[in-house]
Amino acid sequence: VQLQASGGGLVQAGDSLILSCAASGGTFSMHAMAWFRQAPGKEREFVATINWYGGSTYYADSVKGRFTISRDNAKKLVYLQLNSLKPEDTAVYYCAAGDTRWRIVGLTTTTQVVYWGKGTLVTVSS
């Protein structure tokens, strides 16, 4: 599965963005998907995950209530809606597909990832 994220940009605090991740090849619907992010000088961290059919989602505490993950298996797309953005949300955001054994529960760690997309930069100014 190849993944390509898009939708990043420069926004002000309080603004919203929608990130998209397009998949090609493989069997997209067999994978739970997730978004991770990496801020400058920091380790990559989990943001949100969605299971294979979209019936279960889970979020990092830092984004809960502000971000929403969703997917469209027919279009092979996964989205991340970012609302009420804060400067501390500034990072490169990566979409990721999990090993198929995690497809029901989702994935929250980088060790569960089998495919990474290239990141998209989100910069939030204060």
Side-chain angles (χ1 to χ4, degrees):
V1 177
Q2 292 80 47
L3 303 172
Q4 180 64 57
S6 61
L10 173 62
V11 298
Q12 293 186 330
D15 283 352
S16 298
L17 274 179
I18 299 177
L19 306 183
S20 299
C21 177
S24 60
T27 308
F28 174 72
S29 61
M30 289 298 293
H31 297 273
M33 299 296 296
W35 289 91
F36 291 79
R37 67 186 181 185
Q38 188 165 18
K42 295 188 177 181
E43 294 187 352
R44 194 168 299 189
E45 65 175 4
F46 165 76
V47 175
T49 189
I50 187 166
N51 73 346
W52 67 281
Y53 68 94
S56 177
T57 59
Y58 182 74
Y59 300 89
D61 288 344
S62 59
V63 306
K64 198 173 297 181
R66 299 189 298 122
F67 292 6
T68 303
I69 189 171
S70 60
R71 68 188 294 163
D72 185 332
N73 284 349
K75 296 181 178 179
K76 295 187 176 183
L77 290 167
V78 61
Y79 304 99
L80 186 68
Q81 172 77 47
L82 296 75
N83 295 331
S84 303
L85 282 161
K86 304 175 182 180
E88 52 262 45
D89 294 319
T90 294
V92 177
Y93 284 71
Y94 299 88
C95 63
D99 185 281
T100 55
R101 57 183 157 168
W102 306 112
R103 66 186 180 276
I104 296 176
V105 298
L107 62 154
T108 58
T109 67
T110 58
T111 57
Q112 296 171 290
V113 176
V114 289
Y115 303 108
W116 287 103
K118 292 183 178 180
T120 185
L121 177 62
V122 174
T123 304
V124 184
S125 64
S126 58

